Amino acid sequence: MLSSFFFLAAAEDGADAGKAIALALGIGLGSLGAGIGIGNIFGSMIQAVARQPELRGELTGIQWLGFALTEAVVFYGLIGGLLAYVLI
Amino acid sequence: MKRLAATLFALALVLPASAFAQDAAEETDFDPAHEWEFKTWGPELKIGPIDMSINKAVAYLMLGTIVSIVVGLVFMRVRIGRGPTRRQAVGETIYEVAQVQVAEQGLPTKAIGRWFPYVATLMIFIWVINMLGFIPLPLSDERWEIGGIRVPTLAIFAATSTLSVTLALALMTFVFTHVEGIRENGFVRYFKSWIPDVPKAMLPLIVPLEILGQFMRLISLSIRLYANMLAGHMLILTFIGLIFVLENVFLAVIAVPAATAFYLFEVVIVVSIQAYIFAALSAIYIGSAIEPEH
């Protein structure tokens, strides 16, 4: 069961290798964008709290909302890549 | 007592590893696509085209339903005594998060009474299912033998890492959003509120985008939860699996701490955040349908 998560290791011919590279590149570039976005959110949060510490409670909810919305972008890439890998 | 519990918990975490080892030895031929298939447990129950038979995801959902009902009963039905008990404090914290962070953030004041139960239920239910996904339970499709009896291996699996489950939850929010919008504003006024305030020449471009956006909500809501839980489990299993795939025990020095770190990250942050996000976004969507901006 476990090794099912190692499709990459199972790539034998050229087409499989190409799909593996595409999957890895897609997820990698996707997480690049999401990483920048998440960094932005937490950076802005720190600035906001430093300026007005009394707003911390209200800002936390918005911060996590933004975090989850940004983070989800990676997973759209992941699901798209997995679909392409498994189905095509 | 605490130390004993911690030791038992650590042992429970070790158990699945041995099961995986056994499993890897048995299995020779393998297709990753099979990982997404579910074996039917017991008899097949088909009502017309609808498949009602029980599989792993259904079992987890049933268990999750029972646990969330118990959680609700235990923490919300507290007899108020002289001082606040611990149970009451936990219950009030859950209630406050659902009330202040989720319901009041998205829903207009007049709709809180009607939709608070829905969003609070969503939050607790998704949290419980996500959490069950990180506790090793003997509910997997694989079997191994202990003393001649074939028992299911302990495995981690979250029902929310199946797209059908999250899509059903998202579909519920989607339907409720439009039903509530039409009921509150009337059919014509509600769909008119979808048309934004732009110059007339732009309308043929903007309106299809708006309509597409309504359906994108459905997709993003379901894929977010699904992919988060799936990726969490895949990360943990990938690191543990490195030991078995590369067949090197010494990799455990790196793999086990890394897997533990991801496990803790998932349990502490992702599980709660995803439950909160799903409930909060449902509240925001329903709220925006009740009181359109335009």
Side-chain angles (χ1 to χ4, degrees), chain B residues 51-80:
Chain B
D51 194 357
M52 299 283 280
S53 43
I54 292 172
N55 59 25
K56 188 164 64 167
V58 177
Y60 264 93
L61 274 178
M62 286 170 172
L63 184 65
T65 316
I66 294 166
V67 173
S68 36
I69 289 171
V70 170
V71 164
L73 286 181
V74 166
F75 288 115
M76 297 305 157
R77 302 215 158 210
V78 180
R79 185 171 291 135
I80 306 283

Side-chain angles (χ1 to χ4, degrees), chain A residues 1-7 57 61-62 64-65 67-69 71-72 75-76 78-79 82 86, chain B residues 20 23 27 30 32-33 35 101 220 223-224 226-228 231 234 237-238 245 273-274 276-277:
Chain A
M1 170 206 167
L2 256 177
S3 32
S4 66
F5 293 107
F6 290 86
F7 342 102
I62 307 172
W64 287 120
L65 199 69
F67 168 77
L69 288 176
E71 187 205 33
F75 296 118
Y76 302 148
L78 174 71
I79 295 301
L82 281 182
V86 177
Chain B
F20 286 142
D23 183 52
E27 209 165 324
F30 145 126
E35 238 3 74
Q101 301 280 356
S220 70
I223 296 271
R224 180 179 305 115
Y226 160 64
N228 254 298
M234 272 171 67
L237 290 183
T238 301
V245 170
I273 291 281
Q274 289 309 318
Y276 161 69
I277 287 294

